[in-house]
Amino acid sequence: MNTPLHASDPVQAGLAVVIGGTGGIGAALVTGLRAQGFEVLALGRRTQPSLDYTDASSVDACAQHVADHLALTGLALQRLVVATGFLHGETASGQHAQPERSWQNLGADALQHSFLINAIGPALVMRHFLPLLPRQGRAVAAFLSARVGSIGDNNLGGWYAYRASKAALNQLVHTAAIELARRNKQALCVALHPGTVDTGLSQPFAKTGLQVRPTDEAARDLLAVIEALPPGSSGKFFDHKGLSIGW
């Protein structure tokens, strides 16, 4: 039975890093975290330094940039939010990808790019950024996933690349949470479903009557879930209301 999360102890704000922090929901998360009192570093393809999943070395370089900032300021990295994702648009090779309605629409290029942005890139973030979280005290790494990545919740089919790559992300989050607990039992690593948000990712697929929420509202809900995560929630998958989602 799904039950809402309960509030945790008050935050002692340190540093927050938002990857994908210049996108629609990412920028709203940056604003929300700053309002909570965090110093925030936004990283993405349009920041300096830039973080681009098509260049693996940029992930390493950005992690070093954050590590240098932590050493300089004495802050602790208390929030890591990964707000990147790919559903449709131009791939790294310049082709155009759309969610597949049938297996007849499956193509290697779209599959490769979806896995690059939705799973491989976040996996590299785990490699380089999770070691920057403190070894004691509460810290949260949150990766934006999608309910359609739930295998058990798939009743409609379609959207092969997006579903599969988000399912891969969920497995990566669950696995990383196990390892993270060996370093710091109070650190949490979770997957979060933001709902259908009014961004470029969802706009072409918003249906009449479907609840599409503004980015600031979605960010506020997600940050409330992050703050309410109780002990024992690491490695799990939650929606924007704080309810658990089955794998």
Side-chain angles (χ1 to χ4, degrees), residues 15-19 39-41 43 66 77 79-82 129:
L15 181 69
V17 171
V18 180
I19 295 176
E39 179 179 336
V40 185
L41 292 179
L43 295 171
V66 172
L77 177 57
R79 298 291 182 271
L80 171 64
V81 184
V82 178
F129 283 80

Side-chain angles (χ1 to χ4, degrees), residues 196 202-212:
T196 304
S202 64
Q203 282 174 351
F205 308 99
K207 300 177 183 178
T208 302
L210 184 67
Q211 183 185 15
V212 180

Side-chain angles (χ1 to χ4, degrees), residues 201-223:
L201 183 144
S202 64
Q203 282 174 351
F205 308 99
K207 300 177 183 178
T208 302
L210 184 67
Q211 183 185 15
V212 180
R213 302 182 304 129
T215 54
D216 58 345
E217 178 183 319
R220 184 170 60 249
D221 289 346
L222 290 172
L223 293 176

Side-chain angles (χ1 to χ4, degrees), residues 1 15 17 32 73 84 94 102 110 168 174 184 195 200 205 209 212:
M1 178 178 177
L15 181 69
V17 171
T73 62
T84 50
S102 164
H174 186 76
N184 178 357
F205 308 99
V212 180

